[in-house]
Amino acid sequence: MRRLLTRSLWIWALLGWPGWIWATTTSGATTRNVNTSDGIVTLGAVPGTNGANWETDEVFQGFSGAVNWYLTWDDNNVYLGRIGGNNAEGSVIYLRAEYPGATYDNRAYDYDSLSPETSLMGGINFAAYFKNAPYHEFRTYNGVWSAPTANSLSPQYTTQANGAHFEVTIPWSAITGGNGRPTNLRLAIYQIAPLAGAPACTPSRHFVYGESPWGTGNVGDGPSVGVNDGIPTSARQPGGCGRGDDTLTRWWGCYPVIGGVGSNGWMALAPNAGPDDSICQTATAHFLTGNAPPGSAIGTWNIVGQPPGSPAVTFTAPNNPNNFAQNLTAIGVYTFVWDINYGGCPSLPDTVVITRVPNTPQATSMPDTVLNCNADSLVLYGGSPGNGSGIWTVLNGTGILATPNDSITVATGLSPGYNQFQYAIGNGVCPTTTDVVVVTVPINVIANAGPDIALCLGSITTLAGNEPSLIQPSATGYWTQLSGPTNVIFTAPALNISNVFNLQTGVYQLLWTVSNYNCPVEIDTVAIINYANPVSAAGSDQTICLGNAATLEGNDIATLGAAATGLWTQLAGPSNATIANPLQFNTAVSGLVGGQYLFSWRVDNGTCVADSDNVRITVVDLQNNGILNSLLPDSGQSNGTIVLAQPSNGNAPYLYSLDALNFDGNALFDQLASGTYTFYFMDANGCSDTLSYFLAYNPPPDTIAPKDSIRVPTGFSPNGDGTNDLWEIPGI
């Protein structure tokens, strides 16, 4: 708040310094030159308790300068001082104190033959009369004068200047009848008797020293509560003689006594126009907020200053403490006054300054910027703040600003990736304008194409590279083909998760390439191995003759690709065969005996399901069964016969031969002479066996040895057919 009266007086009390009665105004210290070194204790106000709005140490100067008065107060008392005059003569103060329930008399009681007219003051409700020895009269007036009471007003007199000075303390309670501090005072003070040495008056020596306030009434030239215009306060001029009714033709001194609470709880308030404020160019009105006047007091808004050439300001409700001041169309300072009238005395108005400021310029800054890879600093450029003030702030990232309040500043310590800075321009109450710049610090982002992929006769699969934007949002990746049996198709080549199709069997090499602004490009490779579906063919079943070599003949897996593998295993058989190279599709097998063997050829190819096929090898161990029957030839005849028994372990049809050249299916050999024969057997598989047999002759009867005689046979056939299986010599 600003005071309308720049030279307002503040109470510093009547300070009791040794030898002096002392008071202070805003214009400096004024020494009253009241020497109290004779032991009189100087009275004085308590500093700072007269209220925050107007505390006064008024100096009232008489017309001749012969008598000067001063007045101040605090929460409890009024302090009245007089320099000059005569303490042996009476001094009178008339007061109009305004407080709740106060009443006033227009004419003061005639005291000491003086009946001053106080109607121009609006009446009074308190008066005091005091003079020093030998009378010691201290009287108060509240409708009637009290009896003399020694020291009731705590006067202090001094012998200085022949006893011409005094100071008196008057409690507020004595003035307002216990109602605490009044809202304001009007007063008149005079000295009854003239100074010593003044010319005698006949028939009386009554003199009136009527006093007017100090000042001219102009702002800044003392308090404006009265005018020292030379008009006396009494019909009797200073130094004049006469008696009779003395009319106070002018009252003076109307002082707001603000800041206290009376004993009845009623608050007297000084005007408070509210805090200074500003409005933006977009507004042409401002809401004024003064304090509400108490009781029946009336407040009024006025304007006392505005930008030159601006149109007149209007109020929506000038007597309402809360109202709009309108038509504020100029840029500059508007000064408003809020005044409260308490019903007679003017208050000291309070001032509020409303400044209308230009709109805030639009904040502008540099375009978004990408720094070099792994950089960490740059210079930020903002536009001129014009009539406002600009400031940089960090919205995102770890940047440190060298001079945030400068439109051009250096940012260091930027974090990798996304850094966001705001440039704002503020202009008092006007809306702040902002602009944001994004500074990207790129970093190297690795590429990871994911693990190699194995398929079995697949046509489509899903790629899973790393997502570069998770490392830095600005990083991107894309898929390309390096090699493969066909040209693949990517469903989303710019996404780390992408399907790829048009695959055939074979090996593909695909690239995942990661870019991040100006950082080096990173690549990684993923292999897709698309395996052919394995097919196993173990070959045809075989039948071989015992002793012949056997070969396993599976399908060649080379056409399936280098990853394909095959394996021979024996599943069954009369013996444990030896497979020369189990991993070779065609390989020899040995250690076979007669019987049936079962071998498996299993083919594996990557992730495909293995395939197996079996082959059966039958090993034929052809066994002849000897002679089914025979007829010995007669001696010297070729009429013998031999019938061969059908061999076993072979496959029909069976063939027989005596010369190993000519075979047929006839097992009967006839026209045989006695002798040893070798028979050849062959089955349908070509397996063979031999049988040697001695065919004896049938001798004549007379040559037959007795039954019991020894007879040596010429041969035997140990073939298990039950005939001639043993070598036996009869007759032994």
Side-chain angles (χ1 to χ4, degrees):
M1 293 178 290
R2 304 171 189 259
R3 299 291 111 213
L4 178 60
L5 301 182
T6 59
R7 201 173 163 218
S8 299
L9 303 178
W10 292 81
I11 294 178
W12 287 102
L14 305 179
L15 302 177
W17 286 21
W20 305 96
I21 293 177
W22 176 278
T24 303
T25 71
T26 56
S27 299
T30 302
T31 303
R32 309 303 187 205
N33 296 317
V34 179
N35 190 331
T36 60
S37 60
D38 55 1
I40 296 177
V41 178
T42 303
L43 301 178
V46 178
T49 62
N50 300 28
N53 297 306
W54 185 19
E55 300 175 345
T56 185
D57 174 20
E58 273 308 337
V59 179
F60 310 132
Q61 183 167 344
F63 295 120
S64 65
V67 177
N68 292 328
W69 303 85
Y70 61 93
L71 182 75
T72 188
W73 58 83
D74 60 19
D75 286 339
N76 301 308
N77 306 295
V78 172
Y79 303 93
L80 174 66
R82 189 200 70 212
I83 300 174
N86 190 333
N87 291 328
E89 299 299 333
S91 295
V92 179
I93 180 171
Y94 286 114
L95 297 176
R96 175 189 171 93
E98 297 185 8
Y99 55 89
T103 59
Y104 313 100
D105 291 330
N106 285 332
R107 183 175 179 83
Y109 186 81
D110 182 7
Y111 190 86
D112 200 9
S113 301
L114 280 174
S115 299
E117 175 60 50
T118 59
S119 61
L120 293 179
M121 293 175 63
I124 65 171
N125 52 9
F126 181 83
Y129 174 84
F130 29 83
K131 65 181 178 178
N132 199 8
Y135 302 101
H136 299 296
E137 291 189 27
F138 307 107
R139 300 171 182 260
T140 58
Y141 175 84
N142 286 87
V144 295
W145 286 104
S146 68
T149 304
N151 299 320
S152 64
L153 299 179
S154 304
Q156 296 185 37
Y157 299 98
T158 175
T159 58
Q160 183 180 353
N162 298 317
H165 310 321
F166 79 86
E167 182 177 307
V168 65
T169 300
I170 307 174
W172 287 122
S173 59
I175 297 172
T176 65
N179 278 290
R181 291 172 60 165
T183 60
N184 51 67
L185 290 175
R186 304 180 192 188
L187 64 145
I189 348 173
Y190 61 90
Q191 170 83 30
I192 292 179
L195 294 172
C201 292
T202 302
S204 173
R205 56 185 180 84
H206 293 91
F207 260 67
V208 175
Y209 291 93
E211 305 298 337
S212 294
W214 183 273
T216 64
N218 297 323
V219 175
D221 190 20
S224 62
V225 294
V227 179
N228 187 8
D229 54 7
I231 299 176
T233 59
S234 171
R236 293 184 182 271
Q237 300 300 309
C241 298
R243 60 179 296 127
D245 291 347
D246 299 296
T247 302
L248 289 173
T249 59
R250 285 178 65 87
W251 60 267
W252 58 264
C254 187
Y255 302 102
V257 184
I258 302 301
V261 179
S263 60
N264 59 5
W266 183 68
M267 173 75 76
L269 300 177
N272 187 337
D276 294 345
D277 204 353
S278 299
I279 60 174
C280 197
Q281 185 176 351
T282 54
T284 58
H286 183 73
F287 190 64
L288 300 172
T289 56
N291 59 329
S296 59
I298 298 174
T300 304
W301 283 105
N302 287 289
I303 183 164
V304 296
Q306 62 189 86
S310 59
V313 175
T314 60
F315 300 95
T316 55
N319 296 117
N320 191 329
N322 300 313
N323 86 107
F324 281 99
Q326 302 177 122
N327 209 24
L328 311 180
T329 59
I331 300 298
V333 175
Y334 290 83
T335 304
F336 300 93
V337 168
W338 174 239
D339 192 12
I340 297 178
N341 189 314
Y342 285 94
C345 277
S347 65
L348 184 64
D350 191 26
T351 302
V352 63
V353 172
I354 307 300
T355 304
R356 188 168 182 261
V357 297
N359 290 332
T360 306
Q362 177 59 48
T364 58
S365 62
M366 59 194 289
D368 294 346
T369 303
V370 178
L371 301 185
N372 291 333
C373 194
N374 298 312
D376 68 347
S377 65
L378 85 160
V379 178
L380 295 172
Y381 294 90
S384 171
N387 56 291
S389 59
I391 184 171
W392 284 99
T393 54
V394 180
L395 299 183
N396 260 315
T398 58
I400 300 173
L401 301 172
T403 53
N405 293 323
D406 196 339
S407 61
I408 300 176
T409 186
V410 175
T412 58
L414 274 65
S415 55
Y418 182 76
N419 295 268
Q420 192 177 40
F421 300 91
Q422 176 179 276
Y423 182 61
I425 298 178
N427 186 23
V429 296
C430 293
T432 298
T433 62
T434 61
D435 193 25
V436 175
V437 58
V438 175
V439 179
T440 302
V441 178
I443 60 173
N444 292 92
V445 178
I446 63 170
N448 185 345
D452 292 343
I453 300 171
L455 303 175
C456 180
L457 203 61
S459 62
I460 185 171
T461 189
T462 300
L463 302 173
N466 64 317
E467 174 52 72
S469 63
L470 295 179
I471 301 175
Q472 193 164 58
S474 56
T476 60
Y478 59 93
W479 290 102
T480 56
Q481 181 179 352
L482 181 62
S483 63
T486 60
N487 291 327
V488 300
I489 299 174
F490 301 96
T491 57
L495 298 181
N496 64 309
I497 306 297
S498 173
N499 288 334
V500 57
F501 61 95
N502 198 33
L503 299 173
Q504 295 183 8
T505 57
V507 178
Y508 293 85
Q509 295 288 332
L510 306 181
L511 295 181
W512 176 236
T513 302
V514 173
S515 301
N516 191 21
Y517 288 115
N518 48 41
C519 291
V521 173
E522 301 285 342
I523 61 173
D524 191 31
T525 304
V526 61
I528 300 177
I529 305 173
N530 196 12
Y531 295 101
N533 201 29
V535 176
S536 174
S540 302
D541 292 344
Q542 303 178 41
T543 300
I544 64 172
C545 301
L546 181 64
N548 290 346
T551 300
L552 297 173
E553 294 284 352
N555 57 313
D556 188 353
I557 60 175
T559 58
L560 298 177
T565 60
L567 179 66
W568 284 106
T569 56
Q570 180 181 345
L571 302 181
S575 66
N576 291 328
T578 300
I579 302 173
N581 186 355
L583 303 179
Q584 180 67 28
F585 72 96
N586 55 347
T587 184
V589 60
S590 60
L592 303 177
V593 299
Q596 194 173 81
Y597 291 84
L598 187 63
F599 295 93
S600 173
W601 175 235
R602 173 189 170 96
V603 177
D604 288 274
N605 194 18
T607 58
C608 296
V609 178
D611 189 35
S612 297
D613 190 29
N614 299 333
V615 63
R616 192 180 305 275
I617 297 179
T618 303
V619 179
V620 178
D621 182 10
L622 188 66
Q623 297 286 329
N624 71 81
N625 290 319
I627 304 299
L628 180 61
N629 57 58
S630 64
L631 177 64
L632 298 177
D634 293 331
S635 177
Q637 299 294 318
S638 296
N639 57 355
T641 61
I642 294 177
V643 179
L644 300 175
Q646 183 174 302
S648 60
N649 298 332
N651 295 321
Y654 296 99
L655 301 177
Y656 309 93
S657 175
L658 270 174
D659 56 8
L661 295 176
N662 299 299
F663 287 88
D664 59 30
N666 187 7
L668 171 64
F669 294 88
D670 58 2
Q671 297 180 358
L672 299 178
S674 174
T676 300
Y677 293 91
T678 298
F679 297 97
Y680 297 91
F681 300 83
M682 182 181 295
D683 70 353
N685 301 304
C687 298
S688 62
D689 193 17
T690 61
L691 171 65
S692 292
Y693 185 77
F694 176 75
L695 184 65
Y697 64 90
N698 187 20
D702 59 346
T703 63
I704 298 175
K707 183 177 181 181
D708 295 334
S709 64
I710 296 174
R711 180 171 56 88
V712 179
T714 59
F716 73 103
S717 57
N719 56 6
D721 62 350
T723 304
N724 299 320
D725 287 332
L726 299 178
W727 180 281
E728 295 181 338
I729 302 175
I732 295 178

